Amino acid sequence: KKQAYLRQRREFFARQLMYPEWMTDIPGDLGSNWYVLPRPEGIRCLVISSRGKTISRKRSGTILHNFSSSLPSGNNRQRQPAPCVLDCIYHPQNHTYYVLDLMCWSGYAVYDSTTEFRHFWVHSKLSEVPIHRLSDENRFKFAPVPRFSATVKGLKAAYASDSHGFQMDGLLFVNKHTHYELGLSPLCLVWKDAKTSRFMVDTSDGKSVSQRQTSTLYVKEDGSVMSLEGLQVGSLSEEIMQQAKIKANAMHKFSLEGVEVSGDGKEHPRGLTYHAIGSQARVLPDSWSKVVFQSMARKNTTPNITDIAKRCAISANSNNDNAESRSSASSKPEVERGQGGPGLVAVEMMDS
């Protein structure tokens, strides 16, 4: 019972983040309605400061660090119940938390505000506290991730992997008008190529590429094999589940030859085969868009940076949006009144 409770708790925290789909197709309005961010290599995590302490949790829901920070309510000198909730990537090489998004600041929730407003707050609010240097009250540095409008010039600036001060792991595209929605979002996209990521293709050692790709998927009681979207991508017979002693309602590793498109235009896994039980640390399966992107990457058919730049130019011109890329601190968007968000429940659970 205790193990089941702990797993349920980890899954709860794992679901407090907005997860990007993988860019297998380029949005038509990319150059006018999207931002692009260089994505730091590291550990994606949820950071919550409340009642005098700060806790970061990995995508698995497990605690990464329990520490003091200069975030509001983040250290012993600030014990008020006015929490902060941040979406970060921890970069072990320089012991820095890079902030991708902000969902709550000093008790003020902005889940229901637009990306434009939330990203402006990332820069403006972090500049108000001594979060950029180490001290007894601030064990780790925090820094905002640079943000650019997805024009051709903005894309070029984000793509410059040697200018951001951290090892990159692809680009992140976020729609300017979307709210912070928990779970998988088609309005948040991740893209990689060999220049921006050392791990464009998932491998066991980061170097050699096996003939078959591997994915972690969820197996239901009836043998249905599910992706993060809730899409059934395969099935296991009762006989196979019994013979292989496959545990139901759990994560398992599958191998496949790739993804193929049938005559009706639908995508299907080719040669999906059960491989092994998944890591106990995993509480969420891979998304189908990741499976598709990884299959495309192995065939060198993912959208390339030239294709993305062309789409940025076309959509920007069609919308008369030729403004230069800018950081969120350059101009202040209209202030929106956030209406809270389901993720704030995580704050109440942090100390329990």
Side-chain angles (χ1 to χ4, degrees):
K1 290 183 178 180
K2 182 179 180 180
Q3 291 297 322
Y5 166 76
L6 291 175
R7 182 174 181 81
Q8 185 179 31
R9 181 178 171 82
R10 289 195 295 111
E11 183 174 344
F12 169 81
F13 281 107
R15 293 187 180 278
Q16 302 307 304
L17 291 169
M18 178 167 69
Y19 293 103
E21 291 193 359
W22 289 66
M23 185 187 282
T24 56
D25 294 299
I26 307 172
D29 61 346
L30 190 66
S32 55
N33 289 320
W34 294 71
Y35 293 121
V36 56
L37 294 79
R39 187 176 183 273
E41 182 181 296
I43 304 170
R44 178 84 181 280
C45 53
L46 178 75
V47 176
I48 302 174
S49 64
S50 180
R51 302 181 187 277
K53 64 180 178 180
T54 306
I55 292 178
S56 60
R57 289 180 177 270
K58 296 184 286 186
R59 288 184 54 174
S60 62
T62 57
I63 293 177
L64 175 61
H65 295 131
N66 188 336
F67 60 105
S68 292
S69 76
S70 293
L71 295 170
S73 304
N75 59 66
N76 286 330
R77 295 186 179 183
Q78 304 181 67
R79 290 183 171 274
Q80 66 273 25
C84 288
V85 184
L86 304 176
D87 182 343
C88 300
I89 292 179
Y90 176 66
H91 197 56
Q93 290 90 330
N94 59 8
H95 309 290
T96 299
Y97 280 92
Y98 287 99
V99 183
L100 294 172
D101 216 323
L102 182 155
M103 299 87 89
C104 181
W105 185 268
S106 197
Y108 188 93
V110 291
Y111 287 85
D112 293 338
S113 296
T114 63
T115 303
E116 183 179 20
F117 177 68
R118 296 194 317 274
H119 283 199
F120 169 75
W121 262 33
V122 167
H123 289 260
S124 63
K125 294 302 180 182
L126 288 183
S127 68
E128 297 174 0
V129 292
I131 208 74
H132 306 90
R133 60 179 182 270
L134 301 179
S135 67
D136 291 341
E137 285 80 33
N138 195 59
R139 180 181 165 192
F140 295 98
K141 294 179 182 179
F142 283 76
V145 175
R147 183 205 72 179
F148 308 90
S149 289
T151 59
V152 174
K153 189 172 182 180
L155 180 67
K156 182 178 180 181
Y159 190 69
S161 58
D162 57 349
S163 63
H164 304 302
F166 52 75
Q167 178 72 47
M168 283 178 62
D169 189 25
L171 297 177
L172 191 67
F173 295 86
V174 187
N175 187 277
K176 295 179 179 180
H177 311 295
T178 189
H179 298 169
Y180 193 92
E181 302 288 347
L182 306 187
L184 199 63
S185 173
L187 297 178
C188 183
L189 301 171
V190 63
W191 174 87
K192 299 180 181 182
D193 70 358
K195 179 184 176 183
T196 58
S197 176
R198 296 188 294 170
F199 310 104
M200 178 187 177
V201 179
D202 281 348
T203 64
S204 58
D205 58 6
K207 298 179 181 179
S208 58
V209 178
S210 60
Q211 291 184 340
R212 296 174 64 88
Q213 69 183 87
T214 302
S215 296
T216 296
L217 300 166
Y218 182 76
V219 177
K220 297 174 66 175
E221 194 78 39
D222 63 358
S224 298
V225 181
M226 313 296 292
S227 68
L228 182 58
E229 295 93 334
L231 177 70
Q232 183 175 346
V233 299
S235 61
L236 299 172
S237 67
E238 182 178 353
E239 181 181 4
I240 291 177
M241 291 185 68
Q242 290 178 350
Q243 288 179 351
K245 298 181 179 179
I246 299 173
K247 182 180 179 181
N249 301 321
M251 303 295 160
H252 294 272
K253 292 181 180 179
F254 290 81
S255 67
L256 62 154
E257 297 172 11
V259 176
E260 59 186 4
V261 180
S262 59
D264 57 4
K266 294 183 179 180
E267 297 166 327
H268 303 277
R270 183 175 69 252
L272 186 67
T273 305
Y274 180 77
H275 182 64
I277 189 169
S279 168
Q280 292 187 357
R282 288 287 297 263
V283 293
L284 297 177
D286 289 334
S287 65
W288 176 244
S289 64
K290 179 179 180 180
V291 176
V292 174
F293 188 93
Q294 286 297 312
S295 176
M296 295 173 69
R298 288 164 178 268
K299 296 180 289 186
N300 198 30
T301 58
T302 57
N304 60 50
I305 192 64
T306 302
D307 295 333
I308 296 173
K310 288 179 180 178
R311 183 60 58 84
C312 289
I314 293 171
S315 58
N317 289 335
S318 65
N319 286 278
N320 296 316
D321 185 10
N322 294 312
E324 293 184 353
S325 60
R326 57 178 174 82
S327 70
S328 62
S330 62
S331 63
K332 183 174 181 178
E334 180 181 353
V335 174
E336 301 185 15
R337 294 299 176 185
Q339 300 298 316
L344 281 185
V345 180
V347 177
E348 300 301 325
M349 289 187 64
M350 190 177 76
D351 296 324
S352 63

